[in-house]
Amino acid sequence: MDLELFLGRFHPLIVHLPIGFILLAGILEGLRLFRSKQFHMLEVAINIALIATFLGAVGSIILGFLLASGGGYDQETLNWHQWMGIGVAVTSLLAWILKRSRFGSSKKPASVLIFITVIGVSITGHFGGNLTHGSDYLLVHAPDFIKKISSKAASNASQDVRIPSSPDSIVLFAHLVKPVLERKCYACHNPSKSNGGLLLTTMEGIQKGGDTGPSIVGGKSHESLLFVRSTLPQNNPKFMPPKGTPLTYSELKVIQWWIDSGASFEATVKNMDATKEIKDLLFRDFAIDLSPKSYVEQVKIDPIGEEVLIDLRQSGWNVRPVSSTIHLLEVSGGRKPLNDAMITALTAAKSHITRLDLSQMGLMNHQFDLSNMPHLTQLKLNENAITGEALRYLRNARHLEVLNLFGTQVGDEGLEHLSSIQSLKRLYFMNTPISENGIKSLREKLPGLSAIR
């Protein structure tokens, strides 16, 4: 079997001989037909090219059968390739016979057979390319307008993967691992050519593995042949990929991380443990930032309307954006007495306010509903004559992280309104009637709360 495969490996070398000879015969035959008198002496060259095509085709067929004995090829495509190759040998021989025939002077049948053979060798080569490189090899890097001409190429183009901007939406396999397999592994492990019985174009094929063992073992990259074979010395006969560009260090680390994390096909990068090396690699090579982000940094919102911003400032509020890239606002009353115009302007800007300071503004319990501010994260109610009743307006403030009640009349009864705010991290309650028992009860419902007197 080894000798057969050794000889079969010469098939790609020999197969180019009949291709070149029949193309030469086709060109010379075209010249002869176009200028028959001037090029009648080309008959000898055409005959030589035809018999060379036949001999080269026979040699290619024999070596092709030896190569195919190793398996790993799509049978239907292989059958077409083999029969078309045999057809090339037959038609080139018939064309040579007709060219040499003494029966009749017409050479038209021979010319037809020559051009049929040229077409046949092109189709044969197409099937051979599919067996070697996969069915989309020719068009995978073609310009978009060429891809659109072929429905098959267009469907492949629709599978191009774009990495989402949010880590919560980045699926490790689909967005990072699969593109590596497409670039480096699909050429030899596709439905048309599954070397070693390994198919990497489907999840089922990856999980099944190949003739020599499992391609992946969840949690164990060093037992997974997909990773092991890619990290062997390049002079090792089992090194993958055997041809083309080897996997880069980043590509290998991504595959290793995926396998060691369980080889899930659905898990997102946000939900997987990542070492500092992996985090740095993702940020450097894929612009994926896994560092923790506050709620404010994750909010995507358009800038506030200019008229709303002007009204807010003219009514007496101090306003500034959180940053040049975050369009949420920090708003402070500057300890001015609260009035109806200020409340109206604040209400109009409620969707953009994230930090609000109402300290010493004479706020009353009933004046406005703070839970209508969807992005409110920090709220200062210091030294206002409000009681626990005012906090009922915060029950739907789902993103509130910091609340300052210093110097208010809020007591234990008001803390019940805060018990559903799971985002609350810090509560300041100095100079309030709130008791330690009240804080203890609230902490039981909000374990992550830091209460500061």
Side-chain angles (χ1 to χ4, degrees), residues 19 31 61 73 108 122 126 129 141 167 181-182 200 246 259 281 388:
I19 294 174
L31 290 173
I61 291 168
Y73 299 98
K108 289 183 179 179
S122 302
H126 169 70
H141 296 299
L181 301 182
E182 289 177 346
L200 293 179
I259 295 174
L281 181 151

Side-chain angles (χ1 to χ4, degrees), residues 314-380:
Q314 288 182 346
S315 65
W317 295 102
N318 300 318
V319 184
R320 67 175 184 176
V322 172
S323 73
S324 59
T325 57
I326 299 175
H327 302 305
L328 296 175
L329 305 176
E330 297 181 2
V331 179
S332 170
R335 292 167 172 74
K336 293 184 284 288
L338 191 64
N339 56 52
D340 290 344
M342 295 179 76
I343 293 176
T344 299
L346 194 69
T347 302
K350 63 185 180 181
S351 61
H352 282 76
I353 297 174
T354 187
R355 298 167 189 165
L356 178 61
D357 186 354
L358 300 175
S359 300
Q360 298 181 19
M361 295 188 69
L363 178 67
M364 305 300 291
N365 285 346
H366 63 279
Q367 282 190 293
F368 55 89
D369 188 350
L370 294 171
S371 66
N372 282 332
M373 296 180 181
H375 303 304
L376 185 64
T377 59
Q378 297 183 22
L379 176 62
K380 294 182 179 181

Side-chain angles (χ1 to χ4, degrees), residues 377-408:
T377 59
Q378 297 183 22
L379 176 62
K380 294 182 179 181
L381 300 176
N382 305 0
E383 300 183 274
N384 285 296
I386 60 172
T387 67
E389 178 66 16
L391 300 190
R392 68 187 179 91
Y393 292 114
L394 293 177
R395 285 180 295 185
N396 295 323
R398 297 184 298 110
H399 303 292
L400 184 64
E401 298 173 358
V402 180
L403 175 62
N404 197 324
L405 299 175
F406 170 77
T408 67

Side-chain angles (χ1 to χ4, degrees), residues 7-322:
L7 295 175
R9 292 293 179 94
F10 287 92
H11 172 73
L13 175 65
I14 301 300
V15 77
H16 291 89
L17 296 178
I19 294 174
F21 283 126
I22 192 59
L23 290 178
L24 176 62
I27 293 171
L28 296 179
E29 183 68 11
L31 290 173
R32 189 192 67 78
L33 293 174
F34 182 66
R35 298 285 181 87
S36 58
K37 291 183 179 180
Q38 292 89 331
F39 291 92
H40 65 277
M41 294 300 295
L42 292 177
E43 288 287 350
V44 175
I46 295 172
N47 285 331
I48 294 173
L50 287 175
I51 196 63
T53 299
F54 169 72
L55 295 175
V58 170
S60 298
I61 291 168
I62 294 172
L63 295 178
F65 275 110
L66 295 177
L67 182 61
S69 66
Y73 299 98
D74 178 68
Q75 193 58 49
E76 182 178 358
T77 305
L78 179 62
N79 289 340
W80 275 103
H81 180 61
Q82 290 175 339
W83 284 110
M84 290 298 298
I86 293 171
V88 167
V90 172
T91 54
S92 61
L93 178 62
L94 289 177
W96 178 77
I97 292 173
L98 290 176
K99 277 284 186 183
R100 303 276 298 174
S101 174
R102 295 292 184 266
F103 301 101
S105 58
S106 176
K107 303 293 183 181
K108 289 183 179 179
S111 299
V112 171
L113 279 176
I114 290 174
F115 295 125
I116 289 176
T117 307
V118 171
I119 296 172
V121 82
S122 302
I123 298 174
T124 306
H126 169 70
F127 285 119
N130 286 355
L131 288 171
T132 305
H133 302 293
S135 58
D136 63 344
Y137 178 77
L138 183 62
L139 295 174
V140 68
H141 296 299
D144 289 340
F145 75 92
I146 294 180
K147 288 182 179 180
K148 291 178 182 179
I149 296 174
S150 167
S151 59
K152 185 172 184 179
S155 68
N156 288 339
S158 67
Q159 298 174 7
D160 289 346
V161 176
R162 296 183 181 275
I163 299 178
S165 58
S166 171
D168 292 321
S169 302
I170 301 174
V171 179
L172 177 52
F173 175 78
H175 294 117
L176 299 183
V177 175
K178 185 179 178 182
V180 176
L181 301 182
E182 289 177 346
R183 291 192 299 268
K184 304 293 178 71
C185 307
Y186 276 16
C188 294
H189 302 285
N190 59 73
S192 299
K193 180 186 180 184
S194 53
N195 281 3
L198 177 60
L199 180 65
L200 293 179
T201 56
T202 67
M203 289 186 292
E204 294 78 11
I206 294 172
Q207 292 170 327
K208 180 181 177 182
D211 297 338
T212 55
S215 61
I216 56 171
V217 178
K220 300 177 180 179
S221 60
H222 292 286
E223 294 182 17
S224 303
L225 292 180
L226 176 63
F227 177 75
V228 172
R229 293 284 183 90
S230 301
T231 55
L232 292 172
Q234 292 190 34
N235 59 359
N236 190 304
K238 295 184 178 180
F239 173 76
M240 296 296 166
K243 297 184 293 183
T245 307
L247 275 68
T248 65
Y249 177 79
S250 294
E251 291 169 340
L252 288 170
K253 293 301 291 185
V254 165
I255 290 177
Q256 184 180 30
W257 179 40
W258 171 62
I259 295 174
D260 286 340
S261 299
S264 168
F265 291 93
E266 292 83 27
T268 63
V269 298
K270 188 70 173 179
N271 296 327
M272 304 180 75
D273 293 333
T275 63
K276 183 180 185 302
E277 181 185 17
I278 289 293
K279 290 180 181 178
D280 292 344
L281 181 151
L282 293 178
F283 185 74
R284 183 192 68 209
D285 296 345
F286 302 96
I288 298 173
D289 188 359
L290 291 185
S291 59
K293 288 184 172 58
S294 67
Y295 170 75
V296 169
E297 293 175 294
Q298 300 177 55
V299 173
K300 304 297 182 184
I301 191 171
D302 293 330
I304 191 170
E306 190 63 30
E307 291 184 4
V308 177
L309 187 60
I310 291 173
D311 288 344
L312 197 61
R313 286 175 169 150
Q314 288 182 346
S315 65
W317 295 102
N318 300 318
V319 184
R320 67 175 184 176
V322 172

